[in-house]
Amino acid sequence: MANEIEINPEAIIDAGDNLVASAQRIRAAITSFDAELGAFGAPWGSDDLGSLIGMVYETIRDLALESYDANLVEIEDIGKLSRVMGLNYQQTERAIVEHLGRFGEMLS
């Protein structure tokens, strides 16, 4: 049929797992990058201007890291929910096959 919808539960589960894995890899890369930046210390110096630059930098860095983390949490949640959706599709398909089999036996 032209209006038929085909759903592949395994692909949904795989996509969800891949989203979670991607978010974890990105989180690890961000953590590594932040540590690498931290290894530079305070290259802007400790005078008045350097202190101001340092405060601005740290504020922006902290906000960016918080934003990245919040987004990664959302991506992980979507991945986990995709996995659940795929498992629900599988369970529903099994139940339909089972019920149709029983229905067929009743008609025989």
Side-chain angles (χ1 to χ4, degrees), residues 16-55:
D17 291 345
N18 288 335
L19 279 173
V20 171
S22 294
Q24 291 170 346
R25 284 192 307 272
I26 292 169
R27 181 174 282 114
I30 290 171
T31 300
S32 175
F33 180 66
D34 187 42
E36 187 177 332
L37 289 176
F40 287 112
W44 39 79
S46 58
D47 61 355
D48 289 343
L49 181 58
S51 295
L52 288 174
I53 291 171
M55 287 188 326

Side-chain angles (χ1 to χ4, degrees), residues 30-75:
I30 290 171
T31 300
S32 175
F33 180 66
D34 187 42
E36 187 177 332
L37 289 176
F40 287 112
W44 39 79
S46 58
D47 61 355
D48 289 343
L49 181 58
S51 295
L52 288 174
I53 291 171
M55 287 188 326
V56 170
Y57 163 78
E58 289 172 5
T59 301
I60 292 170
R61 182 203 63 211
D62 291 346
L63 288 172
L65 292 175
E66 287 173 22
S67 176
Y68 297 150
D69 188 60
N71 285 307
L72 290 171
V73 167
E74 291 296 322
I75 291 170

Side-chain angles (χ1 to χ4, degrees), residues 60-99:
I60 292 170
R61 182 203 63 211
D62 291 346
L63 288 172
L65 292 175
E66 287 173 22
S67 176
Y68 297 150
D69 188 60
N71 285 307
L72 290 171
V73 167
E74 291 296 322
I75 291 170
E76 286 174 328
D77 288 346
I78 291 168
K80 291 173 186 175
L81 290 172
S82 295
R83 174 173 247 293
V84 169
M85 182 172 53
L87 293 172
N88 287 341
Y89 274 119
Q90 284 179 331
Q91 182 180 2
T92 300
E93 285 181 358
R94 281 193 294 271
I96 289 170
V97 168
E98 180 182 328
H99 287 91

